[in-house]
Structures are given as C-alpha cells and as structure tokens.
Amino acid sequence: MGRYFSLSAASLLLASGHAGARSVLEPVGEEAQQIAVLFWVMLSGGALIWLGVVALLLHAALFKRHGMNERSASRIILWGGVVFPSVTLCALLAYALWLMPGLRPFTQAMGSTALRIEITGRQFWWEVVYHPPQGPPVTSANEIRLPVGERVELTLKSADVIHSFWIPPLGGKMDMIPGRTNRLSLLATKPGAFRGPCAEYCGTSHALMAFSAVAMEPEAFRSWLAGQANPAESAGASGGALFLRHGCGSCHFVAGTDARGLIGPDLSHLGSRITVGAGILPNTEDAIARFIARPELIKPGSRMPAFDMLPPDDIRAIAAWLRGLQ
Amino acid sequence: MRLIPKEVETLWTLFTAPVVWIAHFLVCYIGAAIYCAKPELVGLSFSAVRAGIAAATVIALSLIALSAWLAWRQWGFGTDDPPHDDPTSRDRSLFQGFATLLLSGLSFIAVIFTAMPALFLTECIR
C-alpha cells in the first residue's frame, strides 16, 4: 500500500512539477522544429489518403452497383495500387532522407569553440559532465543546462544497460549503449525548462528515470556554469558534518568537502536543481529527506540503501544542508 | 538469348530479381558499415563509397530490367491475361513469367529505395 501510495504521489508530482513542459509538438529546438514539420506533413498526407480511400469505398458501396470491366479494373489497380504508392513512398522517403543531415549536424558542431556535454545513463539517473571550450570540466547530475542559440554537442554513454536520451521539444532520441559513445547535437531556440525522459526500457524504475533540461540565455548560462565550477556554500554546517559522519560521502561527491564517492549522483549543487531523484520530485527539503529515508519507495530498484535508521532530526539536517547547496 | 533450355522447368528465374535485390542490399549496407567502422582500412573517401553504391545500383537495376524483359517474354508479352490457372505446362510457364515480372517490379523499386540514402548522406555519422 505504502509503495503504491508513494508511487502515485511521485507521478502526481511528476505531472505537476513539469506543468507546461513542452512536447514534440511545441518545438523550441532546430532539430525538433524539423521533426514537427515532418510529423505534420506525414499526418496531413496520411489523412488525405485515408479520406480518398474511404470516399472510394463509399462510392463503391453506395453508388457502384454494377461490376467494372476487367480493363478499367486493371488500370485502377495499376495506377492506384502500384504507381501511386510507389511514387508517394519515394517522395516521402526522399523528404525524410533530405532532412537527415540537418537532424544530425555533427561536423559543424565539432569546432573547438563548442560546448560539449558528456552524459552517462545509469540505473536510474544521469551523470552530466560539462566540457566548456575553456576551463576545467564541471560535473553535475540529473539536470542539463544549455545556452540558447548555440549548438551544443552531447556525448552519450551508458554505464550499465541501454538507455535513451531524449529532450522532446529540442530534438530526436539517441540511444545510450554500454561500451559505445553516441553523439547528438542540439540547438535550443528559446529559453525554457523541459522534461527529458529515459526513452528505452532500462529496468524497474525506467519510468521514474528523467531529468530536467534548461535552455538559458548564453550570458546567464556562462555565469551559471562558472558558479557550478566552484564549491557551493550551504548554511547549516551541522548537516554537512552529519552527511560525512553517516557515510553518505562514500557514494556521493560534494565539491569542497571530504565527500568523494563516485557511485551515486554528484550532489555539489543539488539545491540549485529543479528536481531531485532524477526528475521525479520537486526540489524541497521534505522530498530530499523522504528520499534519504526510503529511496526504494520513491525509486524501486535504486542502488541507494535506506537510511531510515538514522534519527529523523539528522535526516532533516542533512536534507536542509543539501537543499542549501545552491 | 536463352540461359536455361526451354524444356527444363525451374523456379530459379522467378527468384532472379529478388536475389539481385538481396545482393545489392548486402553490398550497400556491408560496404558502408565496413567503411564507417574502419575508414583507414579502406583508404577511400566517403564520396568513393557513394560512387560504389551508385555503380552497384546501376548494375542491379540493369540485371533486374533484364530479368523483367525475360519474364515479359516468358509471359508472351502480355498476349494472355491472368489468371493462368489451367493444369498445363503452358499456363504454368505463363504464370511463372507473370509472377517474375511482378517480382522484378518490386525488386526494382526496392533497389532504388535501398540506394536513396546515399544521395543525401555525405559523411559517416558515429
């Protein structure tokens, strides 16, 4: 019962936390724009053909009471059943293929001035490393920020099973395959916050594996990235001490502290993220505390053990400290 | 031109066009896969791969057109209308000719569809 309750609570939050999250039909990325046009072309073409077939069917059923001679029947089959589908399919295929180089524009994005973001799928979260053209790499998790109007290269990997990376309003999907590096490039055209789901079944909590994607104005993005490169200051140092004392640091990394674990998500700037638990809970102290106490209720199959044996005050202090890591 | 004596009844002519389609498909996909996995092994540019696909396509389409012409002839150049369903060797031959002609048409279109990506893709994407 408890599991069902928390799962439905999580999905409610999922729905409300991303209210207004855009879909593929409201594109704000160059690639997604082309995909949306392709969708509407296919849909209208399909609708026209369907109407034509239904009209023919009605015509035959209602008005055409007598048979047709063999010659005209053969002609209808030849033109309607062979020539028309072949030509239409050929045209649609040509249109889709013509779009492809634009949907996967790699060489242009490969310039050394481009920002590269390395994303590794893990059951059931995302490791994110920014490689800016200048400066050291910046590590984060479960949230991807990118500058508007600049092409960004994404390097996609997996540490365990096949995942699939997808930001619907920005571009198409790309699989993350263990032992392989796939590349994707995206260009956001408007600022906004979007939800990116894992688009390939990857295990028990596949449906609860998501991330937030934020497209920001280039200047805002650069100052944000510069801030992420430095350790965050959080009030409530007692929470920080408890975090280390209870061993959280053996799995999680928090910049500027002795927490150097690399098994779970990097928490250096957890407080500045839109969601916690990889895109499924709003970023509140309460949600963080619930995750610490019983991760398997929120994310079944998660590798993080439950910490509900800790005193509730300790959990709250740790949650407050993490929330303060802006 | 007669490759197989008239008195020999074989189904092989029926498969000619689809076999050409299979061969063309494998040449295009395996060729592109090998080139994109190990460009240094082949030592050619991607344009050479596209030219190779174009050449394979011209050869495949010519073979299929030849198969279609032979089938058309076997069908008696369309003098008899289907269905050829009498239990006679003449009808069997006409049926096979007509079926081969249809399969040739399908294979012709399929070969064009297989080759079309090479018209638009200008690099290996990895």
Side-chain angles (χ1 to χ4, degrees), chain A residues 86 94 97-98 101 106-107 183, chain B residues 109 113 116-117 120 123 125-126:
Chain A
S86 307
L97 289 170
W98 172 72
F106 290 94
T107 36
R183 285 152 59 203
Chain B
I109 295 168
F113 282 12
M116 267 170 73
F120 298 93
E123 59 178 331
I125 291 169
R126 286 194 286 163

Side-chain angles (χ1 to χ4, degrees), chain B:
Chain B
M1 188 173 90
R2 187 165 292 285
L3 298 173
I4 299 168
K6 199 173 183 177
E7 58 279 9
V8 176
E9 284 193 75
T10 169
L11 274 178
W12 269 107
T13 54
L14 186 70
F15 305 137
T16 309
V19 166
V20 172
W21 168 16
I22 293 168
H24 173 263
F25 184 92
L26 292 177
V27 164
C28 293
Y29 275 75
I30 294 176
I34 291 176
Y35 173 78
C36 290
K38 297 186 170 171
E40 68 285 347
L41 185 78
V42 189
L44 297 167
S45 70
F46 194 69
S47 313
V49 177
R50 293 170 83 192
I53 291 176
T57 305
V58 170
I59 294 170
L61 290 180
S62 314
L63 287 174
I64 291 171
L66 176 66
S67 150
W69 189 83
L70 291 175
W72 193 34
R73 188 179 67 175
Q74 189 183 5
W75 188 40
F77 299 105
T79 45
D80 285 74
D81 282 334
H84 309 289
D85 52 1
D86 286 336
T88 62
S89 70
R90 181 175 182 279
D91 256 30
R92 218 161 36 236
S93 171
L94 289 176
F95 173 82
Q96 194 186 341
F98 186 51
T100 309
L101 185 60
L102 295 180
L103 277 175
S104 302
L106 176 69
S107 307
F108 195 89
I109 295 168
V111 164
I112 292 175
F113 282 12
T114 304
M116 267 170 73
L119 276 181
F120 298 93
L121 301 183
T122 54
E123 59 178 331
C124 283
I125 291 169
R126 286 194 286 163

Side-chain angles (χ1 to χ4, degrees), chain A residues 32-310:
Chain A
Q33 177 67 42
Q34 298 191 48
I35 293 172
V37 172
L38 178 67
F39 171 77
W40 289 115
V41 168
M42 292 278 185
L43 186 72
S44 355
L48 279 178
I49 290 172
W50 183 79
L51 284 175
V53 170
V54 170
L56 264 180
L57 180 73
L58 290 177
H59 173 73
L62 300 178
F63 307 111
K64 201 82 183 170
R65 290 291 168 161
H66 50 87
M68 191 181 258
N69 70 47
E70 213 164 294
R71 183 159 282 276
S72 20
S74 303
R75 204 172 298 144
I76 287 184
I77 291 173
L78 177 68
W79 288 98
V82 179
V83 177
F84 177 74
S86 307
V87 170
T88 310
L89 288 176
C90 201
L92 285 176
L93 179 63
Y95 173 51
L97 289 170
W98 172 72
L99 283 180
M100 276 180 76
L103 288 177
R104 298 277 187 260
F106 290 94
T107 36
Q108 301 94 310
M110 288 309 294
S112 56
T113 53
L115 166 73
R116 187 169 71 83
I117 308 177
E118 187 180 319
I119 301 155
T120 309
R122 292 171 187 271
Q123 285 174 322
F124 300 95
W125 60 282
W126 317 77
E127 183 186 330
V128 182
V129 183
Y130 296 83
H131 295 274
Q134 287 100 28
V138 176
T139 304
S140 177
N142 301 329
E143 185 168 285
I144 290 147
R145 301 204 177 208
L146 54 166
V148 170
E150 289 175 22
R151 190 161 282 292
V152 174
E153 193 199 333
L154 304 161
T155 337
L156 306 175
K157 297 176 178 180
S158 169
D160 36 46
V161 299
I162 300 179
H163 302 276
S164 188
F165 179 87
W166 189 27
I167 309 178
L170 291 188
K173 299 170 189 173
M174 179 69 85
D175 277 4
M176 305 170 120
I177 298 167
R180 219 188 122 90
T181 302
N182 280 344
R183 285 152 59 203
L184 180 70
S185 90
L186 293 174
L187 196 157
T189 49
K190 275 184 204 161
F194 323 113
R195 178 174 179 271
C198 177
E200 179 72 42
Y201 180 74
C202 62
T204 312
S205 276
H206 159 68
L208 300 172
M209 176 174 171
F211 59 89
S212 336
V214 184
M216 308 169 79
E217 293 297 348
E219 281 318 305
F221 173 77
R222 267 178 265 286
S223 61
W224 171 83
L225 191 59
Q228 295 280 305
N230 300 315
E233 298 285 327
S234 178
S238 65
L242 286 166
F243 184 87
L244 294 173
R245 192 194 310 154
H246 293 309
C248 309
S250 37
C251 288
H252 291 284
F253 189 94
V254 179
T257 72
D258 288 335
R260 312 217 149 260
L262 297 172
I263 294 169
D266 185 300
L267 302 177
S268 302
H269 294 268
L270 179 70
S272 68
R273 294 178 199 152
I274 297 177
T275 60
V276 290
I280 54 169
L281 294 175
N283 193 352
T284 61
E285 284 181 28
D286 183 44
I288 298 172
R290 278 174 56 209
F291 200 100
I292 295 170
R294 301 291 299 274
E296 79 284 359
L297 286 187
I298 294 167
K299 191 161 287 216
S302 155
R303 291 180 68 190
M304 175 160 159
F307 280 86
D308 53 354
M309 72 295 200
L310 298 183

